[in-house]
Amino acid sequence: MNASRTARERARAELTREIKEEARRQLRISGAQGLSLRAVARELGLASSALYRYFPSRDRLLTELIIDAYDALGERVERAGAPRAPEAPDAADAGVHRARWRARCTAVRAWALAHPHEYALVYGSPVPGYEAPESTIGPASRAPVALLEVLRDAARAGALHLPGDALAPDLHEQAARTAELIGMDLPGPVLVRGVAAWTQLLGIVGAELFGHLTGSMDPAGPFFAHTVELMADSVGLPPAARTDL
């Protein structure tokens, strides 16, 4: 009985994977707005009723695709620039913090260029009528938290130039609430600058991906690299020679 259940579970997992792959193919052709459960079922040779047993609605399928995209990006960024030792780098290795920042920012761009339609799904225009559920929050936080971890480690090592920003009371409250939510002990001004850098990173990657730099900063590689260094300056990371991690 256990063997039979395991076989059914494997079959279900395989068909779920095929459904998602076909849905991603449709995203590349017609975007999230054009995603259709009936079209997915037709391409896979399934009855619509059979597909609904796996994904009862288009929104449920969209949610799964969104979570997968966030997790894939988050994993890519977390692997990039990971500390070489279990402990955080110390102040004597101050340059490694900027190198980790650079590696993680570059990982966001690399993933986006390799998966433009999935990047558009999570960071492009909202899908009309779709409201992301709470289950997407954790996966969505992985990549930005990975960047903030670099600042946390640099601050712990005494290698971060702490900004003297005076935050407005409401912004200070937002920063404190966010720090508590993600479980990260960061001064409010550092966290705010980190979030500002994250939004700038999304902006420059989106501008390249969606063709807004064509005819100006195209190819965008040198412009992107320079902007990453400017962001590192803004968040207080010490300068370092470029190194591969």
Side-chain angles (χ1 to χ4, degrees):
M1 184 174 179
N2 289 339
S4 176
R5 183 165 56 249
T6 300
R8 288 197 300 270
E9 290 171 351
R10 287 199 301 267
R12 183 178 181 85
E14 177 61 21
L15 184 51
T16 299
R17 185 192 65 79
E18 291 179 6
I19 291 169
K20 288 181 178 182
E21 285 302 311
E22 175 57 30
R24 292 187 185 99
R25 191 185 72 83
Q26 289 195 19
L27 287 179
R28 293 192 291 271
I29 296 172
S30 54
Q33 296 183 44
L35 181 63
S36 163
L37 287 182
R38 290 183 180 276
V40 171
R42 184 172 58 250
E43 290 298 323
L44 294 177
L46 297 173
S48 297
S49 57
L51 186 61
Y52 286 125
R53 289 198 294 269
Y54 290 79
F55 295 99
S57 68
R58 182 210 64 162
D59 284 3
R60 179 70 67 84
L61 178 54
L62 269 178
T63 296
E64 290 293 323
L65 297 178
I66 288 168
I67 289 174
D68 286 352
Y70 278 137
D71 277 335
L73 172 61
E75 182 179 357
R76 178 77 172 266
V77 177
E78 289 162 358
R79 287 202 313 266
R84 293 193 182 96
E87 66 276 4
D90 60 27
D93 298 319
V96 80
H97 301 289
R98 181 177 287 242
R100 291 180 63 209
W101 174 271
R102 186 184 301 129
R104 289 189 165 178
C105 289
T106 301
V108 172
R109 176 176 181 250
W111 186 87
L113 294 178
H115 305 89
H117 301 285
E118 291 171 72
Y119 185 90
L121 175 64
V122 293
Y123 295 121
S125 300
V127 180
Y130 173 79
E131 185 174 345
E134 190 174 341
S135 59
T136 62
I137 295 175
S141 70
R142 290 180 63 176
V145 166
L147 279 184
L148 292 175
E149 284 174 354
V150 177
L151 306 187
R152 179 202 61 195
D153 291 347
R156 286 176 176 176
L160 190 69
H161 303 306
L162 298 176
D165 304 352
L167 302 181
D170 54 348
L171 182 56
H172 177 81
E173 182 180 343
Q174 287 178 341
R177 188 167 60 248
T178 299
E180 182 179 1
L181 182 66
I182 63 177
M184 192 169 294
D185 184 20
L186 276 176
V190 175
L191 188 141
V192 168
R193 288 194 179 206
V195 174
W198 168 250
T199 59
Q200 186 177 2
L201 177 61
L202 293 182
I204 189 172
V205 170
E208 177 183 8
L209 202 62
F210 305 138
H212 300 302
L213 298 180
T214 302
S216 56
M217 301 299 177
D218 180 34
F223 178 60
F224 177 84
H226 183 72
T227 303
V228 167
E229 300 305 317
L230 294 179
M231 289 190 293
D233 292 339
S234 74
V235 296
L237 290 169
R242 292 180 179 274
T243 58
D244 293 327
L245 293 185

